[in-house]
Structure formats: structure tokens, C-alpha cells
């Protein structure tokens, strides 16, 4: 069970080659093996959405995936969203709308929303609420998050 | 106490107004940047090299004697450094024990809660052994190998059976299982007994939990050479936690440093001392290695502080015209197996009792509050504590009085709400309501709704074709008050011995002119950095971006209570303003030394937003707009409190209407940057009694308790067939005095209303009758998701509290206090039912059952 396995994975454009236990979750792999602590673990059972990352573009929950499952795949985390010091328009919109308080759920919301906006560049509010319905925030009451995602859609359309 | 000029009018007043200019938004704050880019530093991001990870062996029994703990197999497991049992720890670690000085008729029994149980377990999840291993995976593996032999004992599963004669005792020294009892009476009973209208209502608020998205945790390391413990925790109360650890470990508090990193939400649970924290600290000392505990969600649901679990049984009487004649109520609070530290188990019975009379004229009040021990996890604070029980019960009683008197729900409230000319008013609950316009708040909320439009929608839903049998709309309303930033007098009256009930701030101006502010009330996401920066920036007349705010580290932040009970802006903010006033005196003293004048011949003045000291002797030009508060007694500008009146004075100075120009630089005015240099250079001789440098400390006990107030109205849709309930629209009208940061206030309200909707419709920590915990996942304990919370419209009023210098009232809890009542009220309105008793949350099953009861006449009125 504890025999180490080879995992080669591209995270935010960087290739990592690591030897891991088969039972190591993707979230723990990102956080503890690679030191990418922007991905947060909120429930460890796939409900809260805090740990959402992108696997070959799709938003997935890294707490209920094993690191060995992403061997040969591409992962994007919140750390890869900004371009150097320049925030992604979605991050800017979150900042301007106060779409975060404690910030713990934020990386999960960002990674969920960015995937959604790529597929739906002109969403209405219902579509945004539907897309975010699998992520929990305990601080904001969601209104500012929904507003930020709608605003980000408009910024992205304008090529902000 | 003298305070800074501060212009409250600079903040935009409309709640939904957010400017969409990058970097310019009212809501944006520099503290968000690391959190948006994955560079936050939360508890689990602290990774000391070579740390041991803890896993806890927990009792599967709600009540059992521990016969034997065999840890041999676990100790031999891979990666394990130590397994420690309760018996091994008992000699070196004192139990968690919350003391009280119960006064008057109140009676209290403290409990001893051993961080690791040695002989008896009293709830499912109680710790019986601790495993420390190289990583969490190994620690959990080994924890499964600890063999514990239990002898199960009879269980007390709920508060009602706990106080029944002959019930099993949770504690030997509490034969009736009552850990706290209080009884208050106010006013004369005659009117209550003779009044023609009598209504009753019983409501059970579920056991809920704050459920921050980041669970709890701690990292402890002990320096044996120096005898110091470094302790990081996801805590709201670094100093109280430090005091608690010191008591349990027998280490002087001065040898313990508690630091809170980014904290992923608090809401109350993170203000209690966790047995895991004591165990982690004890293991760090014992093993001489860094020790780390990161609570997972399952542990959090089982063994992070639960709250409420309160049943209130109440009866109100009213005159024929709907005026309340009196209120009689009893609360039964299931506080679980132990009285938690620091607040103790009197928290809910005391605060529910304070809240029940609400913003109404209640000439007679009789209240009994009981805290009862059961075999469940102990309760602690969660935003609002017992206060939501007030509106939950009283709003329904008032609606029933209205129906009995033939009055519209709005009219019956209007007749009973205290008017502004009746304030200050000593409530029979014990609070003194200071200021505000309760009828105007209700009117403001109804106007924004708009109420007439909602009534029309409700009527259409009742007669609607097609879905007429199923879909119903209901309108709920909730009027309430909240005592905030409670001072030493309140905690003295409550008898809570472990809450210092004051807060402190240190302000330091560096030689280069930059300002540092160290405040004892840390942030868990409420935006304290931004708000304190504004208070300092506007108070001293320095650019806000030059102010660095440091919170949550006992090594550098001054002593204080921490963040809970809506106290940060009142108490922490009060300390900041008090320190700013002292700083201005220091700046004046330095300027006076420079000019070789008496300190009374100089004044601190803010011009164009920039603070400086000007000479007022014959040599200088004098002018209007001078901030007399800096060096002399209270302002002569009128009776209004500091924040409002001086804000206006400062603004007029800032507008350039003050007479004195900056002219003759260096001779008549010294800017803060110049004074900062002078205060730190050896070349300026200072008279005796003037300290060099610019560092001041202020400890602040609010001189009175500001009481914020609000009215909520909710439009809720109920499906009579499926029992589904959805909040369609929601309006809050609130008055928290002068607003420092409107984005932060709105964020607090919206988040708290969402939690209140959760209490009304979704959330419940469940135990079965045998004491088994059943809410092990977030699929069992339902936190409101984005589809459960509507947009929340907010109307602000700003009536400064006359009780404090700033006039600021706290508001962090307000939303969750009003929302359960408004939502429940609306559901009952939609169904047209008045049940004699109600158990929350209103799950689909319960709503279907209520709907089946149909349009029964109110059996109690």
C-alpha cells in the first residue's frame, strides 16, 4: 500500500516528477509535496469546493482525487491565475466587489468560475449561480461573488 | 477621553454602490491580494521542519468508563513518535475549567474537562489518546491501532430528559444536571395577569455551528533552552487563548506566544479553548518538538464548538388595543457535557434572556434561563449566541397579538416599538437601549421592499391558477436590537471571569513618518485592517496607505479580549481612537519642545487631510477649525458625540475653510513627518516628562454599551407539496451608528443573514436519542449555498451612540440575529398556520407537516 509511485505532472506550466504514496490526495500533493498552498482543503469529502483545481481544463476537487491519478496530466491552480504581478480580470473583479472576506474558499471559487467563464462568456445571473452552486462560502452571502463573476465576464469580453 | 476628528460623511451611504474601477473600489483592500493569488498563510500553511502531526483517538460512546487504553500496537506503527493517554497527561495538565462569579439568584456549577479523558468519556468524540507521527496519514493509521476498552454507561440525550427526576447524572456534583440557572423579574405582574389577550409560543433553535470554511488547528513548538512556547492557532482570541493555555499547562502566560495567521472564518467557535490545543501544547513541551494539529471537517462537525440547542417557551399578554402587557419566558439550553472556556455555559441562557423583550415596551418580564448538561459535545459561541432566540420568539408572539387584536403585523409593531423620544430606555432584559429610531427602521425596510408590492405578490400566489394548491408566498418581519462591544461592567454583571472585556491599541510613528497600529482585536476576514487604517489615517491625518495594521500576535499586539460579540469596532476601534488622541498629545509635546513653548500653546490640526501641530501663541495666526480635542478638554462644539460632530469640524478644516494657512513653514506648523524625525533625533532637547520617540498605548473599556438596531423583512416562497422553502427577497434596514467602512458593514450583514437563513431552514447538528452524533459530513449539515441566499438589499441609518466617544455601534452579529425570525415568520405566514410549538430548522418534512395542519385557528390565542 505504501509503495511509492512515480507521478509526472505539469502544474501551472512547470513539470514535476515526484514519487508519492498511492493514497496521497491531489490536494495534499499540491500543498505539501509541491508547496502550492493556495489550494485549500475545506472538507476532504468533495462538498465545499475549496480545493477546486483544473485538470486538463476541467474544474475538479483535488481532495477526492489521488495524486497518482493525474500522472501525465496538466493541473492549474490559483497560483497560476495572475500574470506575474498583474491580476487576472476575475481576481480584479473579486477584489473590487469585495467578493471575499476570510479568503479561504476564494481559490476554489476562482478556479470554478474561470472554467465556467471560458465555456460561457456571456452568462446571466442564474447561470452564474448554477455554476457556483457546488462551492460554499460562509462569509459573504454570495451576492458579491455572483456580482464579481458577472463583472469578470464583461471585463473578459472587453479584453480587459 | 478625547477623540480624533473623523469625517463619517466620506463613506458612500448606499449599500449596493460599489465602484467598478480596479484598485479604486470601496470594497477592495490590500489584504485581499495575497488571498486572491494563493499566497495567504493559513494555519496549515505553517510547516515547521520536522513537525509531528497529531491525530486524536476519540470515544465512539457518548458516556462510558474507560477500563483500559492499550497503545502498544500504535506505538510500534511506522512513523509514530509518541502516543499519549489521558492517564499519562493527567499529572501535568490541568483540566479546562470556566469559572463564574454568579451573582443574585444565579447558580453555576463549573466542570472539569480533561483535554484527554482518563477515566470517563461524556460525549461522542471525546479524546482518549493522542498520536504524534511523522505525517497526518501515519498518525491516523496509528490512531486506529489504539485499543480502548470502554464500559458503556446510561446516556442523557437531551435537555428535557436531563432535568427529569431520576435522570442519569452527567457530573457527580450536578445531581439535577443543571449547570446554570438564573431568574429575573421586572415590573408588576398585575397588568400581565389581567390583560385580555394571551398568546403562547414555544420554539426550539437547533444545535448549529459556525462552520468556518477553514476548520481549526494549531502548531506548537517549545524552546526548552528558554522555556518558551510558540503557539499558532486559527483563533479569534489570541490573548484569551494564551491565558487558557497558561492555566492548563502551568506555564506563565508571558512565556507563551500565541499568533493567529490568516484565519479562514471564525464566527465564534474559534474563541473557545479546544482540548486539542491544550494537548498539542502539552505534547510540544513533553516531546520538545514542533507539533501540528489540523482539524479535518469530520472532526470539526463532531468536536468544534456547537451552539444554541435552545428551547424557549414563552407567553405574552396584551391589552385589547394590542399593546404588550408583559412577557414570561423560560429557556432550556442543552450545553452538552462541559462548560466551555472562556465564556462558560451561562452564555445562551443569559443572552436569550437579555434579548427576549426586543425593541418593544414590555412593562412586565419574568425569565428563567437554564443551562443543562447532556452527553453531547459542549456548546460555545456562534455569532449571535442566544440573542436570535429573542426575535424568533418575540416576533411570533407580537404577530399573534396583532391577530388577536385585529391589527396588521406592521401596525401591532408600530404600537409597541419604542420611539426615539423614549430612549435611552432600560430594557427589562437588562440592556440600556441608547439611540436609534426603531419605527423608522421598520418603515425603511418596508418601503424598500416595497411592502405593498410584496402583499400583492402574496395575494396573487394565493389565488394563482395552476400552482394555486402548492405555491404560497409569505412575508416575515423581524425587529431587534443588539448590545455590542460589551464592556467590563457587562461581563462583571454576567459573572464571566475569563473575559478581560477591554481592548488595547499601540500606535507607533516611525522616524520616517510611517505609522504602525497594533490592535488586540484580530480579523477573521471582517476587514479590520482596512477599518483600523481608516480610523488611524483620518484620526491622525496621515495617508491611510502609510498605516500598517498588525493584529493577532501576542508577541507584538497589546493585551485585550479579541474578536467576538460585535466588539472590534467599538472596543478595538475605541482603543485605536484613544491611542490616536494620546499620539496627538505626544506630537504636540514634541512640537512645543521644538518651539520652546508650553504644550498649551500648540494645537494639533488636520488641514486638507494632513495632520500637523501649529503654534497658537501670539506669534502665530489663530483660526477656526482647530481640533480642540488634541490638547484641551471636551469639545465645546455641542452635545453630539465625537465622531459625528468633530467629523464635521474636521471636514470644514479639510475643505480649506480654516483661516490659518501653512505659511511661514517651519515656524508656525510642523507636519507629522517632521515631528516624527524630531521625536527620534538626539538633537532636540526634550523637557522632563516628555518621552522621546512616538509610541503610545491605550487600553479601552467602552464607557457604555452601544446598542445597534435593525428591521428585517423577507419574502419567502413555500411549496406546500414538497415542503421546499426559498427566500425570494430580503431587505435589511440597520443602524450601527457612524459607519467606518460601508463595504465591510454590508459584507457582515449579508454573510450573517445567509447564516440566519441556514438556522431557519437548513442547519442542524443532530444526535440520536442515544447520544450518537449524526452530522458527520457537509451533506448532513447543510450550509447555505449560492441558491439558498437571495440578494440582500440594505438601508443604512446612522445614529451615533451617545454612550461612547466615537458613537460607533457594533454590527457583526446583527444579520444572524434577525434573519431566523424573519424567515420563520414568513414561512408561517405563507402557510397561514400558528403552531403552538416549532422546531427548527424548517426542513421540507416539517413544512409539509405544517402545511397539512392547514389554516387552523391559532390554538393558543
Amino acid at each position: 500500500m505504501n509503495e511509492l509511485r512515480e507521478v509526472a505532472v505539469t502544474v501551472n506550466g512547470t513539470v514535476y516528477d515526484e514519487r508519492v504514496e498511492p493514497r496521497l490526495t491531489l490536494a495534499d500533493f499540491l500543498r505539501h509535496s509541491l508547496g502550492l498552498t493556495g489550494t485549500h482543503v475545506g472538507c476532504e469529502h468533495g462538498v465545499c469546493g475549496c480545493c477546486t483545481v483544473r485538470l486538463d481544463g476541467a474544474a475538479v476537487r483535488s481532495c477526492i482525487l489521488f495524486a497518482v491519478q493525474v500522472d501525465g496530466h496538466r493541473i492549474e491552480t490559483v497560483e497560476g491565475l495572475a500574470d506575474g504581478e498583474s491580476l487576472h480580470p476575475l481576481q480584479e473583479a473579486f477584489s473590487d466587489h469585495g467578493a471575499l472576506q476570510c479568503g479561504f474558499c476564494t481559490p476554489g471559487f476562482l478556479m470554478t468560475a474561470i472554467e465556467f467563464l471560458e465555456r460561457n462568456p456571456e452568462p446571466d445571473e442564474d447561470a452564474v449561480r448554477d455554476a457556483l452552486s457546488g462551492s460554499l462560502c460562509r462569509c459573504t452571502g454570495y451576492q458579491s461573488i455572483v456580482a464579481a463573476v458577472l463583472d469578470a465576464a464583461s471585463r473578459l469580453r472587453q479584453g480587459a | 477621553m478625547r477623540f480624533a476628528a473623523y469625517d463619517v460623511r466620506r463613506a458612500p451611504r448606499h449599500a449596493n454602490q460599489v465602484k467598478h474601477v480596479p484598485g479604486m473600489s470601496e470594497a477592495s483592500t490590500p489584504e485581499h491580494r495575497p488571498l486572491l493569488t494563493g499566497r495567504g498563510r493559513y494555519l496549515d500553511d505553517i510547516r515547521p521542519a520536522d513537525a509531528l502531526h497529531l491525530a486524536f483517538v476519540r470515544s465512539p460512546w457518548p458516556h462510558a468508563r474507560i477500563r483500559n487504553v492499550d497503545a502498544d500496537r500504535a506505538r510500534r506503527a511506522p512513523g509514530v513518535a509518541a502516543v499519549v493517554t489521558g492517564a499519562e497527561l493527567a499529572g501535568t495538565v490541568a483540566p479546562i475549567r470556566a469559572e463564574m462569579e454568579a451573582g443574585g439568584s444565579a447558580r453555576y456549577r463549573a466542570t472539569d474537562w480533561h483535554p484527554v479523558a482518563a477515566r470517563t468519556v461524556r460525549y461522542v468524540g471525546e479524546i482518549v489518546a493522542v498520536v504524534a507521527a511523522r505525517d497526518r496519514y501515519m498518525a491516523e493509521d496509528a490512531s486506529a491501532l489504539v485499543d480502548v476498552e470502554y464500559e458503556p454507561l446510561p446516556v442523557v440525550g437531551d435537555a428535557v430528559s436531563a432535568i427529569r427526576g431520576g435522570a442519569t447524572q452527567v457530573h457527580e456534583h450536578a445531581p439535577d444536571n443543571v449547570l446554570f440557572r438564573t431568574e429575573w423579574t421586572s415590573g408588576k405582574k398585575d397588568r400581565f395577569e389581567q390583560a385580555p389577550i394571551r398568546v403562547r409560543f414555544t420554539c426550539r433553535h437547533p444545535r448549529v455551528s459556525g462552520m468556518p470554511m477553514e476548520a481549526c488547528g494549531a502548531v506548537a513548538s517549545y524552546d526548552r533552552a528558554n522555556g518558551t512556547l510558540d503557539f499558532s492557532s486559527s483563533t479569534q482570541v489570541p490573548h484569551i487563548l494564551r491565558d487558557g493555555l497558561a492555566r492548563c499547562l502551568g506555564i506563565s502566560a508571558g512565556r507563551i506566544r500565541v499568533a493567529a495567521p490568516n484565519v479562514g472564518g471564525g464566527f465564534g467557535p474559534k474563541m473557545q479553548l479546544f482540548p486539542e490545543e491544550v494537548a498539542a501544547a502539552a505534547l510540544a513541551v513533553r516531546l520538545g518538538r514542533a507539533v501540528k494539529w489540523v482539524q479535518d471537517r469530520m472532526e470539526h462537525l463532531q468536536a468544534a464548538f456547537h451552539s444554541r440547542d435552545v428551547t424557549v417557551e414563552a407567553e405574552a399578554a396584551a391589552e385589547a388595543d394590542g399593546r404588550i402587557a408583559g412577557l414570561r419566558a423560560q429557556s432550556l439550553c442543552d450545553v452538552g457535557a462541559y462548560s466551555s472556556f472562556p465564556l462558560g455555559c451561562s452564555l445562551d441562557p443569559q443572552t436569550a434572556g437579555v434579548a427576549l423583550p426586543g425593541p418593544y415596551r414590555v412593562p412586565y418580564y419574568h425569565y428563567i434561563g437554564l443551562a443543562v448538561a447532556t452527553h453531547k459535545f459542549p456548546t460555545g459561541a456562534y455569532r449571535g449566541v442566544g440573542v436570535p432566540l429573542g426575535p424568533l420568539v418575540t416576533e411570533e408572539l407580537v404577530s399573534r397579538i396583532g391577530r388577536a387584536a385585529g391589527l396588521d403585523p406592521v401596525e401591532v409593531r408600530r404600537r409597541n416599538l419604542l420611539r426615539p423620544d423614549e430612549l435611552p430606555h432600560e430594557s427589562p432584559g437588562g440592556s440600556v437601549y441608547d439611540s436609534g429610531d426603531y419605527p423608522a427602521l421598520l418603515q425603511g425596510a418596508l418601503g424598500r421592499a416595497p411592502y405593498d408590492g410584496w402583499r400583492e405578490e402574496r395575494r396573487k400566489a394565493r389565488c394563482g391558477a395552476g400552482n394555486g394548491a402548492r405555491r404560497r408566498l409569505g412575508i416575515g418581519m423581524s425587529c431587534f436590537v443588539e448590545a455590542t462591544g460589551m464592556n467590563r461592567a457587562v461581563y462583571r454583571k454576567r459573572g464571566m471571569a475569563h473575559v478581560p472585556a477591554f481592548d488595547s491599541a499601540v500606535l507607533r510613528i516611525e522616524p520616517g513618518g510611517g505609522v504602525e497600529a497594533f490592535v488586540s482585536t484580530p480579523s477573521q476576514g471582517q476587514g479590520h485592517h482596512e477599518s483600523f487604517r481608516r480610523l488611524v489615517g483620518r484620526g491622525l491625518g496621515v495617508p491611510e496607505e502609510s498605516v500598517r495594521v498588525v493584529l493577532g500576535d501576542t508577541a507584538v499586539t497589546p493585551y485585550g479580549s479579541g474578536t467576538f460579540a460585535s466588539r472590534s469596532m467599538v472596543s478595538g476601534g475605541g482603543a485605536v481612537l484613544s491611542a490616536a488622541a494620546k499620539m496627538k498629545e505626544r506630537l504636540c509635546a514634541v512640537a512645543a519642545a521644538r518651539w520652546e513653548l508650553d504644550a498649551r500653546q500648540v494645537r494639533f490640526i488636520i488641514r486638507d487631510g494632513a495632520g500637523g501641530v501649529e503654534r497658537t501663541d501670539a506669534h502665530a495666526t489663530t483660526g477656526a477649525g482647530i481640533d480642540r480635542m488634541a490638547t484641551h478638554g471636551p469639545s465645546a462644539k455641542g452635545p453630539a458625540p465625537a465622531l459625528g460632530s468633530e467629523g464635521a469640524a474636521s471636514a470644514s478644516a479639510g475643505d480649506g475653510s480654516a483661516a490659518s494657512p501653512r505659511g511661514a513653514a517651519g515656524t508656525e506648523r510642523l507636519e507629522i513627518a517632521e515631528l516624527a524625525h524630531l521625536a527620534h533625533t538626539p538633537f532636540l532637547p526634550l523637557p522632563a516628562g516628555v518621552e522621546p520617540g512616538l509610541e503610545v498605548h491605550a487600553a479601552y473599556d467602552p464607557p457604555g454599551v452601544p446598542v445597534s438596531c435593525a428591521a428585517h423583512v423577507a419574502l419567502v416562497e413555500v411549496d406546500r407539496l414538497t415542503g421546499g422553502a426559498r427566500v425570494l427577497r430580503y431587505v435589511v434596514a440597520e443602524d450601527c451608528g457612524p459607519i467606518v467602512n460601508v463595504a465591510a458593514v454590508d459584507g457582515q450583514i449579508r454573510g450573517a443573514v445567509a447564516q440566519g437563513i441556514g438556522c431557519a431552514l437548513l442547519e442542524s447538528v443532530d444526535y440520536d436519542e442515544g447520544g450518537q452524533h449524526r452530522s458527520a459530513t457537509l451533506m448532513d449539515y447543510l450550509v447555505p449555498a449560492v441558491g439558498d441566499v437571495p440578494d440582500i438589499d440594505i438601508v443604512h441609518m446612522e445614529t451615533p451612540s451617545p454612550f461612547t466617544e466615537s458613537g460607533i455601534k457594533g454590527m457583526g452579529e446583527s444579520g444572524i440575529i434577525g434573519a431566523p425570525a424573519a424567515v420563520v415568520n414568513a414561512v408561517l405566514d405563507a402557510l397561514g398556520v400558528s403552531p403552538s410549538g416549532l422546531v427548527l430548522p424548517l426542513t421540507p418534512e416539517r413544512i409539509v407537516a405544517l402545511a397539512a395542519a392547514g389554516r387552523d385557528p391559532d390554538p393558543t390565542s
Side-chain angles (χ1 to χ4, degrees):
Chain A
M1 183 179 81
N2 297 332
E3 205 173 294
L4 298 184
R5 298 273 191 88
E6 200 87 19
V7 173
V9 58
T10 305
V11 183
N12 301 329
T14 304
V15 180
Y16 294 90
D17 249 313
E18 298 282 323
R19 289 167 62 76
V20 302
E21 277 188 47
R23 65 173 176 174
L24 183 70
T25 67
L26 176 57
D28 285 349
F29 173 72
L30 293 168
R31 293 180 48 76
H32 302 143
S33 307
L34 305 187
L36 295 168
T37 56
T39 299
H40 295 153
V41 179
C43 72
E44 295 184 85
H45 53 264
V47 177
C48 77
C50 288
C51 67
T52 303
V53 298
R54 299 183 72 184
L55 168 60
D56 297 334
V60 299
R61 308 205 157 189
S62 62
C63 74
I64 47 172
L65 277 168
F66 292 113
V68 292
Q69 290 176 280
V70 303
D71 182 34
H73 292 269
R74 181 169 52 88
I75 297 288
E76 287 151 70
T77 69
V78 68
E79 285 93 342
L81 210 49
D83 180 8
E85 284 308 298
S86 170
L87 294 182
H88 186 281
L90 180 64
Q91 291 168 312
E92 275 178 3
F94 265 61
S95 175
D96 290 345
H97 288 267
L100 67 159
Q101 288 180 26
C102 81
F104 197 79
C105 70
T106 308
F109 271 95
L110 290 171
M111 299 316 284
T112 303
I114 194 76
E115 185 229 31
F116 165 72
L117 290 176
E118 278 176 18
R119 286 187 286 111
N120 301 275
E122 290 185 60
D124 61 12
E125 183 180 331
D126 282 350
V128 170
R129 285 188 178 261
D130 192 47
L132 301 179
S133 61
S135 292
L136 296 177
C137 168
R138 194 59 157 164
C139 295
T140 63
Y142 301 101
Q143 187 170 339
S144 54
I145 298 177
V146 172
V149 173
L150 285 167
D151 190 23
S154 132
R155 292 177 195 213
L156 287 163
R157 285 198 303 273
Q158 289 160 17
Chain B
M1 190 60 65
R2 308 191 297 265
F3 277 100
Y6 171 59
D7 180 9
V8 298
R9 296 174 306 178
R10 281 183 216 173
R13 283 295 143 255
H14 193 280
N16 297 324
Q17 178 183 336
V18 178
K19 288 172 273 173
H20 300 321
V21 184
M24 294 286 289
S25 153
E26 167 77 11
S28 90
T29 163
E31 281 71 29
H32 284 165
R33 197 178 171 91
L35 309 185
L36 283 163
T37 52
R39 293 190 199 117
R41 188 165 176 271
Y42 299 86
L43 196 275
D44 189 36
D45 304 337
I46 301 171
R47 297 185 297 157
D50 206 26
L52 293 170
H53 296 255
L54 301 187
F56 292 91
V57 179
R58 296 174 183 278
S59 167
W61 297 99
H63 189 200
R65 197 162 291 125
I66 300 169
R67 283 217 175 122
N68 186 43
V69 180
D70 179 356
D72 286 352
R73 279 199 306 154
R75 288 192 174 106
R76 291 195 303 269
V80 171
V83 180
V84 178
T85 64
E88 291 167 301
L89 221 51
T92 54
V93 176
I96 295 171
R97 188 179 167 92
E99 304 287 358
M100 261 194 92
E101 307 255 339
S105 66
R107 180 158 60 83
Y108 174 69
R109 293 183 178 116
T111 57
D112 283 335
W113 185 7
H114 294 275
V116 182
R119 283 200 289 260
T120 308
V121 288
R122 294 186 174 85
Y123 59 88
V124 168
E126 184 154 7
I127 299 165
V128 292
V130 193
V131 178
R134 211 163 60 224
D135 69 29
R136 173 68 181 245
Y137 290 71
M138 289 170 163
E140 286 193 24
D141 286 348
S143 71
L145 302 175
V146 176
D147 295 314
V148 186
E149 198 185 324
Y150 297 97
E151 178 192 339
L153 297 169
V155 172
V156 177
D158 63 79
V160 173
S161 45
I163 54 173
R164 213 171 273 149
T168 297
Q169 285 177 232
V170 179
H171 293 281
E172 279 173 20
H173 66 294
D176 54 1
N177 289 319
V178 174
L179 297 185
F180 175 81
R181 184 185 194 281
T182 190
E183 183 167 358
W184 315 331
T185 306
S186 157
K188 293 216 173 75
K189 211 162 148 185
D190 321 9
R191 267 181 72 193
F192 177 85
E193 287 186 335
Q194 289 153 17
I197 296 173
R198 194 60 76 92
V199 293
R200 292 179 192 86
F201 183 52
T202 298
C203 187
R204 175 168 184 247
H205 192 298
R207 180 171 273 249
V208 290
S209 190
M211 212 55 59
M213 294 321 298
E214 182 199 27
C216 306
V219 177
S221 55
Y222 185 66
D223 180 338
R224 276 186 177 156
N226 293 303
T228 53
L229 179 70
D230 205 327
F231 197 84
S232 294
S233 169
S234 188
T235 181
Q236 301 168 227
V237 289
H239 282 95
I240 288 178
L241 171 53
R242 185 174 76 152
D243 292 342
L245 290 173
R247 288 166 66 90
C248 289
L249 299 178
I251 299 177
S252 147
R255 294 193 170 276
I256 304 173
R257 171 197 184 183
V258 172
N262 285 131
V263 174
F267 314 121
K270 293 182 182 175
M271 75 164 292
Q272 277 75 221
L273 177 63
F274 281 78
E276 290 88 346
E277 290 178 315
V278 178
L283 259 71
V285 173
R286 193 184 175 101
L287 304 174
R289 281 179 71 175
V291 157
K292 181 171 179 175
W293 165 60
V294 179
Q295 188 182 50
D296 68 23
R297 186 59 58 183
M298 209 169 146
E299 279 184 294
H300 187 86
L301 281 151
Q302 185 180 67
F305 289 86
H306 301 155
S307 298
R308 319 276 204 271
D309 204 341
V310 176
T311 302
V312 173
E313 206 176 327
E315 182 178 25
E319 309 296 347
D321 65 357
R323 284 174 211 281
I324 297 168
L327 174 64
R328 216 154 49 181
Q330 174 168 332
S331 73
L332 185 60
C333 308
D334 180 341
V335 299
Y338 301 97
S339 180
S340 59
F341 181 95
L343 299 167
C345 67
S346 77
L347 180 65
D348 282 315
Q350 293 212 61
T351 52
V354 169
L356 278 158
Y360 300 108
R361 241 172 269 109
V362 179
Y364 167 75
Y365 181 47
H366 179 251
Y367 175 71
I368 296 173
L370 291 177
V372 174
T374 62
H375 290 112
K376 296 183 189 171
F377 187 74
T379 56
Y382 171 29
R383 206 176 201 173
V385 294
V387 182
L389 269 301
L392 257 178
V393 171
T394 303
E395 289 301 298
E396 185 56 26
L397 289 173
V398 169
S399 293
R400 289 175 188 201
I401 289 171
R403 283 197 289 278
L407 298 174
D408 173 77
V410 178
E411 181 53 30
V412 69
R413 283 172 174 79
R414 272 192 200 125
R415 284 191 192 180
N416 285 292
L417 284 171
L418 289 157
R419 295 184 311 270
D421 60 298
E422 294 173 276
L423 307 184
H425 169 87
E426 188 173 351
S427 158
S431 291
V432 179
Y433 302 165
D434 57 349
S435 64
D437 189 335
Y438 309 155
L441 285 167
L442 179 58
Q443 201 49 48
L446 293 169
R448 181 65 70 85
Y451 186 50
D452 289 343
W454 286 14
R455 280 162 53 128
E456 180 56 19
E457 284 185 55
R458 180 177 61 180
R459 193 189 61 77
K460 278 187 196 151
R462 278 179 186 163
C463 332
N467 64 3
R470 284 179 59 175
R471 183 175 180 265
R472 290 280 187 274
L473 295 183
I475 300 171
M477 49 194 83
S478 162
C479 303
F480 63 95
V481 292
E482 179 197 0
T484 67
M486 286 168 288
N487 58 15
R488 297 173 70 240
V490 170
Y491 283 93
R492 189 159 59 238
K493 188 172 156 193
R494 285 184 176 179
M496 292 177 180
H498 308 293
V499 179
F502 68 93
D503 282 288
S504 309
V506 167
L507 283 184
R508 189 152 70 208
I509 303 184
E510 297 296 341
V515 184
E516 288 174 289
F518 303 85
V519 194
S520 65
T521 52
S523 177
Q524 299 83 48
Q526 303 92 329
H528 291 173
H529 294 84
E530 182 74 21
S531 299
F532 291 145
R533 222 169 13 242
R534 289 183 188 190
L535 287 181
V536 174
R538 292 174 195 175
L540 287 179
V542 295
E544 283 167 26
E545 57 276 14
S546 76
V547 183
R548 189 174 78 98
V549 173
V550 181
L551 308 172
D553 180 352
T554 63
V556 290
T557 48
Y559 193 85
S561 302
T563 297
F564 56 94
S566 304
R567 63 181 296 114
S568 291
M569 275 310 110
V570 176
S571 185
V576 167
L577 292 172
S578 175
K582 287 186 177 180
M583 180 61 83
K584 290 194 282 191
E585 289 180 17
R586 291 285 293 277
L587 291 164
C588 286
V590 172
R594 168 70 181 77
W595 287 318
E596 296 179 5
L597 294 172
D598 188 278
R600 279 167 303 191
Q601 294 173 296
V602 304
R603 278 170 192 176
F604 183 88
I605 299 177
I606 295 176
R607 290 185 193 283
D608 298 328
V613 178
E614 299 181 6
R615 54 196 300 177
T616 59
D617 59 316
H619 184 72
T621 315
T622 54
I626 286 170
D627 182 358
R628 292 173 180 83
M629 304 306 281
T631 51
H632 295 135
S635 169
K637 289 187 205 102
L643 209 67
S645 61
E646 287 153 51
S650 164
S652 68
D655 292 344
S657 58
S660 177
R662 277 172 199 239
T667 60
E668 295 186 355
R669 178 177 167 99
L670 287 164
E671 302 299 331
I672 286 180
E674 297 169 289
L675 292 165
H677 170 71
L678 288 170
H680 291 90
T681 172
F683 300 113
L684 175 68
L686 293 170
V690 176
E691 289 176 28
L694 289 172
E695 181 170 320
V696 294
H697 168 273
Y700 183 74
D701 176 26
V705 177
V707 178
S708 61
C709 43
H712 290 197
V713 292
L715 181 69
V716 176
E717 178 187 65
V718 179
D719 185 325
R720 289 162 51 88
L721 187 69
T722 64
R726 200 156 64 97
V727 184
L728 299 179
R729 247 150 316 142
Y730 205 96
V731 181
V732 172
E734 69 83 39
D735 185 344
C736 63
I739 292 174
V740 178
N741 179 350
V742 75
V745 167
D746 292 347
Q748 289 298 298
I749 290 171
R750 295 204 168 101
V753 167
Q755 292 175 332
I757 291 171
C759 293
L761 300 177
L762 297 167
E763 299 181 35
S764 178
V765 178
D766 288 331
Y767 285 84
D768 69 13
E769 285 168 12
Q772 197 53 244
H773 176 255
R774 296 197 304 190
S775 304
T777 74
L778 290 178
M779 288 171 284
D780 308 296
Y781 188 88
L782 301 179
V783 169
V786 67
D788 300 313
V789 186
D791 280 358
I792 292 152
D793 206 353
I794 303 171
V795 180
H796 294 295
M797 290 181 74
E798 297 183 60
T799 315
S801 171
F803 292 170
T804 62
E805 301 83 350
S806 70
I808 296 170
K809 303 168 185 173
M811 51 68 57
E813 299 166 281
S814 169
I816 199 175
I817 292 171
V823 173
V824 167
N825 208 247
V827 171
L828 297 183
D829 180 53
L831 296 173
V833 294
S834 300
S836 58
L838 206 55
V839 176
L840 305 186
L842 295 178
T843 56
E845 298 96 304
R846 287 182 181 141
I847 287 177
V848 165
L850 284 168
R855 283 202 162 274
D856 290 343
D858 184 348
T860 61
S861 63

